[in-house]
């Protein structure tokens, strides 16, 4: 690598900075003598120093700020630190700690910061803003409007932190080049009173745009991104229910793009159901599935399961009859007012209303649906803590030998149930994976690791492969290929007593398997602009892989 930067300017560039790892030759060539301690250190020693400092911090938020400061200072060291201590650091830079950091964004914001803030008042200057704020070369754009952050809702421009966290995961898991990505938050206002009334909130203090004003800003932004970064992949992240599905439908065939909350979450959930069924000897086409929480994630998972069941041999109509969705009004029925198109697609026939009992509020609640349906699979995306009660779970387990129960809401405090309780209430028969990290459970002499149904096992490989082979579209077949590859790597697919997700330390190998499957699917469908054969696709993956290692620098 070569650069014109010298001295403090070079040390201030996180993509080039090596800190104490600059060699004697480089220190002399770039005027670094006196700006660094005398010793020349290797990357491994730098990682160890930061690890010791990390261990000495008193809270997860302190550790989050420590990781952010490292990322802003030295990208190579940051990613190597994350790679070497993935189990300890990934929950800090990503979920669940990033959610708490986002809620404190107004207090913790420091300038200059990473990422690009594109505000609605700059509508007529979008190209100019992007040119001056974004990198010259961009392969992937992680874009959010912060309306549906991690179960905590509208967080204004604090959503930039979820973009930065997910991009760190991309690099960690798949090897995406961190210098060729764009974290982008769309500042379309906020409806959170605590932000609108907070003089420290650094975003646009204005009610959130909607309707034609919102649509115009979004379409102008996408058009500008296509002009400035043609072919770049758009990763839609944490858009609210009212916009997420609409944007995916509008752009999925026009722009290489995918929505991780809809397609990534559903892909991981489908991989888990597929693996659990295989390991327990259950037929996919025999499942009765209840999804508790009919928002963006829940509806996305349900649609993915419809596709999974049709791939198993059912017609689409038959597959939909195997799913029951529940929202805050109870069982979703087609005559319920105010249903979104994606919720309506999952609604049951109103004639079924009299087949169920009622809860104290007069609704057909979760317990009533479980009593009537006797589901084999129960999935939670509701963010209603403790919703899977002892009564609900025991009722399910009375009718099903190996119930598959997935409390997927995060952060941890919002999970529908604790895995230890699920094992207790089902006499250890449940097949369990969670959306947030939980400690292993000791059950009658066995030590059960709880698989975390984490999107990091799918989206990095999916996005990286799409970038590497130049996919002009992210198709359903590509997502299917990725989730099938993930399912094959889940231990429970071979042994029903094994965990329902791989170890986090295996995420790079899993991501590579997912990326290879996705790349090959893109080639088969004729969607890979940079690869015509399987061999070329594998070469593209190898060529695009970035590693956390220092490069020699030459002065120009």
């Amino acid at each position: 690598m070569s650069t014109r930067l010298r001295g403090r300017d070079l040390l201030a560039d996180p993509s080039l900075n090596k800190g104490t790892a600059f060699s004697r030759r480089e220190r002399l060539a770039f005027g670094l003598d006196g700006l660094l301690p005398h010793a020349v250190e290797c990357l491994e020693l730098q990682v160890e120093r930061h690890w010791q400092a990390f261990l000495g911090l008193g809270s997860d938020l302190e550790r989050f700020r420590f990781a952010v400061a490292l990322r802003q200072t030295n990208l190579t060291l940051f990613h190597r630190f994350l790679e070497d201590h993935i189990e300890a650091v990934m929950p800090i830079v990503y979920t669940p700690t990033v959610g708490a950091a986002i809620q404190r964004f107004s207090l913790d914001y420091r300038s200059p910061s990473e990422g690009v803030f594109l505000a609605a008042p700059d509508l007529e200057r979008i190209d100019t803003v992007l040119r001056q704020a974004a990198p010259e070369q961009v392969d992937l754009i992680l874009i959010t409007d912060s309306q549906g952050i991690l179960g905590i809702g509208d967080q204004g421009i604090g959503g930039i932190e979820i973009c930065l966290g997910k991009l760190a995961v991309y690099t960690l898991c798949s090897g995406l080049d961190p210098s060729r990505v764009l974290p982008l938050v769309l500042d379309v206002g906020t409806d959170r009173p605590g932000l609108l009334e907070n003089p420290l909130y650094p975003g646009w203090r204005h009610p959130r745009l909607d309707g034609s004003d919102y649509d115009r800003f979004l379409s102008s932004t996408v058009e500008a991104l296509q002009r400035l970064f043609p072919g770049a992949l758009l990763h839609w992240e944490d858009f609210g229910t009212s916009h997420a599905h609409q944007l995916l439908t509008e752009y999925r065939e026009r722009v290489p793009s995918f929505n991780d909350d809809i397609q990534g979450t559903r892909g991981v959930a489908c991989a888990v159901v597929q693996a659990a069924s295989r390991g327990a000897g259950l037929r996919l086409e025999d499942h009765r599935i209840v999804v508790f929480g009919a928002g963006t994630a829940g509806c996305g998972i349900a649609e993915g399961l419809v596709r999974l069941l049709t791939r198993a041999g059912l017609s689409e109509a038959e597959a939909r009859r195997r799913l029951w969705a529940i929202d805050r009004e109870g069982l979703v029925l087609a005559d319920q007012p105010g249903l979104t198109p994606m919720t309506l697609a999952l609604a049951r026939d109103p004639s079924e209303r009299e087949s169920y009992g009622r809860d104290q509020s007069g609704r057909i609640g979760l317990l009533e649906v479980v009593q009537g349906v006797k589901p084999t699979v129960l999935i939670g995306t509701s963010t209603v803590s403790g919703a899977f009660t002892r009564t609900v779970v025991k009722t399910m387990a009375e009718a099903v030998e190996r119930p598959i129960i997935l409390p997927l809401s995060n952060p941890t405090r919002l999970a529908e149930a604790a895995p230890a309780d699920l094992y207790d209430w089902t006499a250890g028969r449940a097949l369990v994976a969670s959306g947030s990290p939980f400690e292993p459970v000791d059950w009658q002499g066995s030590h059960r690791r709880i698989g975390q149904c984490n999107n990091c096992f799918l989206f990095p490989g999916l996005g990286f492969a799409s970038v590497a082979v130049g996919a002009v579209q992210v198709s359903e077949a590509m997502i299917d290929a990725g989730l099938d590859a993930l399912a094959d790597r889940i231990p429970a697919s071979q042994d029903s007593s094994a965990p329902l997700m791989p170890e986090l330390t295996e995420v790079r190998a899993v991501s590579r398997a997912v990326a290879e499957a996705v790349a090959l699917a893109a080639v088969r469908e004729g969607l890979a602009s940079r690869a015509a054969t399987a061999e070329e696709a594998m070469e593209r993956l190898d060529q695009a892989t970035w590693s956390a290692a220092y490069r020699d620098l030459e002065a120009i």
Side-chain angles (χ1 to χ4, degrees), residues 540-553:
R540 289 296 186 184
L541 291 177
D542 292 338
Q543 292 166 0
T545 301
W546 181 89
S547 61
Y550 289 131
R551 281 75 169 168
D552 289 336
L553 282 184

Side-chain angles (χ1 to χ4, degrees), residues 202-446:
W204 184 41
R205 286 199 287 277
H206 187 280
R208 189 172 273 275
L209 294 186
D210 205 356
S212 59
D213 290 336
Y214 180 92
D215 294 341
R216 183 182 173 212
F217 182 63
L218 258 293
S219 62
S220 297
T221 298
V222 173
E223 290 168 6
L225 292 171
Q226 287 182 282
R227 283 193 298 271
L228 296 175
F229 313 113
L233 177 71
L234 281 183
H235 172 136
W236 305 100
E237 182 68 27
D238 284 344
F239 282 77
T241 303
S242 59
H243 294 123
H245 197 270
Q246 169 197 339
L247 290 169
L248 180 60
T249 301
E250 181 175 354
Y251 290 110
R252 66 186 307 171
E253 295 182 3
R254 295 168 47 192
V255 181
S257 64
F258 74 99
N259 184 304
D260 188 46
D261 305 296
I262 297 175
Q263 296 166 294
T265 300
R266 95 178 189 197
V268 175
C270 288
V272 169
V273 171
Q274 181 172 313
S277 302
R278 185 189 304 164
L282 307 173
R283 300 197 323 161
L284 288 171
E285 56 268 36
D286 291 337
H287 278 311
R288 299 178 300 279
I289 304 168
V290 170
V291 179
F292 183 65
T296 300
C299 289
I301 289 172
E303 289 296 338
L305 291 168
V306 168
R307 184 172 176 85
L308 188 66
L309 296 181
T310 57
R311 290 169 61 205
L314 298 181
S315 69
E316 181 177 344
E318 290 171 327
R320 291 189 182 278
R321 283 196 290 272
R322 295 283 181 170
L323 278 108
W324 289 259
I326 301 173
D327 67 6
R328 59 176 55 89
E329 301 300 324
L331 178 65
V332 176
L333 299 169
D335 60 355
Q336 181 176 319
L339 295 181
T340 65
M342 63 180 181
T343 310
L344 183 60
L346 300 170
R348 306 291 298 189
D349 191 300
S351 64
E352 298 180 23
R353 181 177 278 108
E354 300 310 315
S355 301
Y356 302 91
R358 300 291 190 277
D359 64 15
Q360 292 180 342
S361 302
R363 299 173 302 180
I364 305 171
L366 175 60
L367 177 59
E368 290 70 35
V369 172
V370 169
Q371 289 171 332
V373 170
K374 297 179 174 56
T376 57
V377 180
L378 176 60
I379 298 173
T381 60
S382 66
T383 68
V384 178
S385 177
F388 294 173
T389 64
R390 175 192 291 267
T391 303
V392 166
V393 174
K394 278 185 167 291
T395 301
M396 180 183 182
E398 286 171 359
V400 180
E401 178 63 26
R402 299 304 306 273
I404 299 172
I405 307 179
L406 310 178
L408 300 183
S409 291
N410 56 53
T412 306
R413 61 184 174 81
L414 299 180
E416 287 82 6
D421 289 333
L422 296 177
Y423 286 126
D424 183 29
W425 299 336
T426 63
R429 293 183 286 117
L431 297 161
V432 179
S434 61
S436 294
F438 280 90
E439 291 298 317
V441 175
D442 290 318
W443 171 257
Q444 295 187 348
S446 65

Side-chain angles (χ1 to χ4, degrees), residues 102-119:
I102 289 170
Q103 291 177 298
R104 288 185 51 87
F105 185 80
S106 295
L107 292 174
D108 289 348
Y109 173 74
R110 302 291 183 270
S111 181
S113 64
E114 306 158 283
V116 174
F117 303 86
L118 187 59

Side-chain angles (χ1 to χ4, degrees), residues 6-8 10 25-35:
R6 299 291 188 274
R8 295 187 187 278
L10 178 58
R25 178 194 64 79
E26 290 171 328
R27 296 180 187 211
L28 182 61
F30 293 104
L32 298 174
D33 287 327
L35 298 178

